Amino acid sequence: MRPVTPFEYRDGILHCDQVALDRIAREVGTPCYVYGGGAIVRNLGIVRECFADLDPKICYAVKANANLSILRVLAREGSSFDIVSGGELYRLNRIGVAPDRIIFSGVGKAETEIDSAIQQGIFALVVESASELELIAERAGDRKARIFLRLNPEIDARTHPYISTGLRQNKFGIDLADLPAILELLHAHPTLSLIGIGSHIGSQVLDIEPFVLAFTKIRELADSLRNEGFPLTHLDLGGGFGIPYHDESPIDLPSLSAQIGRSRGNYRVVMEPGRFIVGKTGTLLTRVLHWKSNHGRHFAVVDAAMNDLIRPALYGAYHEVRTVRQRPAELRADVVGPVCESADFLAQDRDLPKLGRDDLLAVMDAGAYAFVSSSNYNARPRCAEVLVDGEQFRVVRRRETNEDLVALEIERGSSE
Ligand code: LLP
């Protein structure tokens, strides 16, 4: 199943819904991220339709794209949310998401984060170690908390090693060998109620088999814990549904749904998709600063850089690059940023027209894990984010200024 994209050429100009990207570049400036709100809603709908027979609790993984306006779009559609920090919880609080629509994942929750989650009564804390459960018990005192256990299922999701999480060498999830200590803690603290078992095998997973294998393992564990008297009601498949960035085949969600449907029993299925919902719905709009050739290799030096989009440098990730004005390719070139690192490329060896100053490019499929992992490296202000809705668009995060860059720094003697 392929998630939808809001981007297409109309009369030779790349548009997001009905809005031409050159207009956004003119009015907002570059670089900037542009997202299509309608496509986000449609992608949530695709996940819902594919798994309609299961009626799962779909918890959008906030880490993929945490802009308040995007969270609002999803909240309005009735999505639940998966968070990994107090900051993400704060974002959801800001837009008024009900606590029963929030689960809290992550291997290292701090005391203050646990306190807020318990105090707000979120749907479940996803626990990844005996040590973490002990801390939750300590902080909860007499208060109730619902718990999911995240199992490390020792399954190879066949994705990039940096985003593979279900293998024995990964820090994530609970090793079955630690289960006795965890069960002992749960018995000793009856206010903690174990209602779910889950796993998250990795991200950008395109095969369904690893999901089915992981699901079978968590189902078996849930059954055996039910037999021990734990009130288990939920099985959490995690996130990880991949999207085609290049020429990959899309993930077969209808088959995954059918296979899980056969083995889920009377548990409610939970899932935590991030990338599938937002990945294809965003682009990084950038302007060519210079065109140069070094010893026969061509470079388009653009105004976006690795600090805006780290995925190519970090994972060798592929993002398609399109010219905003549709033009035939003439040669091969790299698209690089102004940062002083050779890893500062957005694309390498691409068929492109010969570009010149002020030509606009769109780095595609940049709706997930893109702006959220941007930085100020090289003292570059973070770029703006724009949300398109049909024929309208608005800036949903303003471009940072140079003043923003130093706003939190405390200089000694500046007032002396
Ligand atoms: N649930 C948990 C516990 C996770 O750790 C993640 C992603 C998700 C859900 C959502 O996964 P998704 O459906 O989006 O694949 N920065 C990397 C991706 C890191 C993913 C981290 N965890 C990238 O740019 O590809």
XYZ file of all heavy atoms in Angstrom, residues 8-15 20-23 25 283-286 321-327 355 359-363:
244
model
N 2.335 17.392 -7.146
C 2.323 17.016 -8.563
C 2.545 18.251 -9.420
O 2.317 19.382 -8.979
C 1.013 16.308 -8.934
C -0.204 17.162 -8.764
C -1.473 16.443 -9.237
O -1.418 15.253 -9.581
O -2.518 17.108 -9.257
N 3.006 17.983 -10.649
C 3.195 19.097 -11.591
C 1.850 19.496 -12.173
O 1.061 18.640 -12.566
C 4.135 18.687 -12.729
C 5.588 18.621 -12.312
C 6.230 17.400 -12.140
C 6.321 19.784 -12.092
C 7.563 17.327 -11.763
C 7.658 19.730 -11.708
C 8.273 18.504 -11.550
O 9.587 18.447 -11.168
N 1.583 20.782 -12.205
C 0.425 21.329 -12.913
C 0.954 22.435 -13.810
O 1.616 23.347 -13.292
C -0.583 21.945 -11.941
C -1.180 20.919 -11.017
C -1.964 21.628 -9.940
N -2.539 20.603 -9.076
C -3.801 20.527 -8.727
N -4.650 21.438 -9.141
N -4.225 19.566 -7.949
N 0.655 22.337 -15.071
C 1.185 23.292 -16.059
C 2.690 23.516 -15.878
O 3.172 24.648 -15.904
C 0.459 24.658 -15.949
C -1.025 24.492 -16.201
O -1.389 23.644 -17.048
O -1.829 25.188 -15.533
N 3.390 22.436 -15.641
C 4.853 22.511 -15.592
C 5.436 23.048 -14.298
O 6.648 23.221 -14.183
N 4.596 23.296 -13.297
C 5.108 23.810 -12.009
C 4.687 22.835 -10.904
O 3.518 22.439 -10.837
C 4.520 25.203 -11.673
C 4.863 26.227 -12.755
C 4.996 25.697 -10.309
C 6.291 26.692 -12.758
N 5.635 22.488 -10.049
C 5.319 21.558 -8.962
C 4.409 22.253 -7.942
O 4.703 23.366 -7.490
C 6.618 21.082 -8.300
C 6.508 19.893 -7.353
C 5.946 18.654 -8.058
C 7.878 19.559 -6.752
N 3.314 21.589 -7.621
C 2.340 22.129 -6.675
C 2.222 21.227 -5.445
O 2.436 20.016 -5.537
C 0.938 22.179 -7.314
C 0.719 23.335 -8.233
N 1.472 23.551 -9.366
C -0.199 24.343 -8.185
C 1.028 24.626 -9.969
N 0.023 25.140 -9.281
N 1.157 26.523 -5.883
C 2.430 26.391 -6.606
C 3.596 26.626 -5.650
O 3.584 27.577 -4.868
C 2.478 27.385 -7.761
N 4.596 25.758 -5.729
C 5.724 25.883 -4.792
C 6.552 27.141 -5.044
O 7.155 27.684 -4.125
C 6.606 24.634 -4.850
C 5.970 23.344 -4.330
C 6.976 22.205 -4.348
C 5.412 23.508 -2.913
N 6.562 27.647 -6.295
C 7.342 28.880 -6.512
C 6.684 30.061 -5.807
O 7.351 30.989 -5.356
C 7.594 29.157 -8.006
C 6.340 29.240 -8.836
O 5.241 28.922 -8.323
O 6.437 29.616 -10.026
N 5.367 29.988 -5.657
C 4.677 31.054 -4.916
C 5.078 31.007 -3.433
O 5.359 32.045 -2.809
C 3.160 30.865 -5.077
C 2.390 31.956 -4.426
C 0.899 31.819 -4.611
N 0.240 32.465 -3.504
C -0.913 32.080 -2.979
N -1.559 31.031 -3.485
N -1.426 32.735 -1.970
N 7.821 29.833 -2.240
C 9.223 30.284 -2.150
C 9.290 31.805 -2.165
O 10.057 32.419 -1.408
C 10.036 29.702 -3.303
N 7.860 18.270 1.673
C 9.040 18.467 0.821
C 9.882 19.576 1.425
O 9.368 20.440 2.145
C 8.625 18.825 -0.621
O 9.749 18.624 -1.477
C 8.176 20.274 -0.779
N 11.180 19.521 1.142
C 12.077 20.610 1.551
C 12.339 21.449 0.302
O 12.965 20.982 -0.650
C 13.379 20.036 2.126
C 14.463 21.049 2.467
C 13.990 22.086 3.478
C 15.707 20.329 3.020
N 11.807 22.657 0.344
C 11.901 23.558 -0.802
C 13.177 24.379 -0.660
O 13.396 25.014 0.380
C 10.657 24.448 -0.791
C 10.431 25.429 -1.922
C 10.398 24.737 -3.269
C 9.100 26.166 -1.671
N 14.007 24.361 -1.695
C 15.309 25.012 -1.580
C 15.678 25.712 -2.887
O 15.163 25.358 -3.947
C 16.384 23.980 -1.147
O 17.629 24.617 -0.968
C 16.550 22.868 -2.165
N 14.937 14.342 -5.904
C 14.992 15.806 -6.047
C 14.287 16.184 -7.346
O 14.588 15.631 -8.404
C 16.452 16.301 -6.070
C 16.504 17.796 -6.395
C 17.121 16.036 -4.732
N 13.340 17.100 -7.257
C 12.646 17.576 -8.449
C 12.888 19.062 -8.639
O 12.997 19.799 -7.652
C 11.134 17.377 -8.308
C 10.726 15.937 -8.222
C 9.245 15.881 -8.444
N 8.711 14.598 -8.053
C 7.416 14.330 -8.013
N 6.535 15.268 -8.295
N 6.998 13.132 -7.670
N 12.914 19.472 -9.879
C 12.965 20.910 -10.138
C 11.527 21.416 -10.007
O 10.583 20.747 -10.439
C 13.484 21.199 -11.565
O 12.759 20.382 -12.482
C 14.960 20.896 -11.666
N 11.359 22.578 -9.406
C 9.996 23.102 -9.241
C 9.401 23.424 -10.618
O 8.238 23.136 -10.885
C 10.004 24.324 -8.295
C 8.683 25.073 -8.351
C 10.310 23.857 -6.873
N 10.230 23.977 -11.501
C 9.785 24.164 -12.888
C 10.216 22.910 -13.647
O 11.407 22.602 -13.685
C 10.459 25.421 -13.456
C 9.931 25.911 -14.773
C 10.561 27.263 -15.106
N 10.170 28.293 -14.156
C 9.023 28.981 -14.242
N 8.184 28.756 -15.225
N 8.728 29.896 -13.347
N 9.252 22.198 -14.207
C 9.549 20.905 -14.840
C 10.476 21.093 -16.048
O 10.151 21.859 -16.957
C 8.225 20.295 -15.307
C 8.276 18.818 -15.522
C 6.861 18.232 -15.672
O 5.903 18.952 -15.943
N 6.744 16.942 -15.481
N 11.613 20.405 -16.005
C 12.588 20.537 -17.097
C 13.269 19.205 -17.323
O 13.451 18.441 -16.378
C 13.672 21.556 -16.702
C 13.192 22.987 -16.748
C 14.135 23.896 -15.992
N 15.495 23.860 -16.513
C 16.512 24.539 -15.977
N 16.324 25.287 -14.916
N 17.708 24.459 -16.495
N 21.576 23.702 -13.765
C 20.828 24.680 -12.959
C 21.605 25.970 -12.803
O 22.831 26.001 -13.020
C 20.539 24.079 -11.581
C 19.665 22.813 -11.621
C 19.763 22.050 -10.309
C 18.214 23.187 -11.899
N 17.209 28.973 -9.268
C 16.329 27.853 -9.626
C 15.867 27.186 -8.336
O 16.619 27.111 -7.354
C 17.089 26.820 -10.470
C 17.183 27.235 -11.925
O 16.318 28.018 -12.370
O 18.119 26.781 -12.608
N 14.638 26.691 -8.352
C 14.087 26.072 -7.137
C 14.067 24.559 -7.268
O 13.715 24.017 -8.321
C 12.656 26.577 -6.902
C 12.525 28.053 -6.558
C 11.047 28.477 -6.573
C 13.148 28.343 -5.181
N 14.426 23.896 -6.169
C 14.384 22.431 -6.129
C 13.507 22.006 -4.955
O 13.394 22.720 -3.955
C 15.786 21.855 -5.917
C 16.823 22.109 -7.023
C 18.168 21.534 -6.610
C 16.361 21.485 -8.341
N 12.917 20.818 -5.113
C 12.125 20.248 -4.021
C 12.745 18.898 -3.665
O 12.868 18.026 -4.531
C 10.675 20.084 -4.466
N 13.164 18.771 -2.408
C 13.707 17.499 -1.929
C 12.514 16.734 -1.369
O 11.917 17.150 -0.361
C 14.789 17.727 -0.853
C 15.410 16.403 -0.438
C 15.858 18.689 -1.369
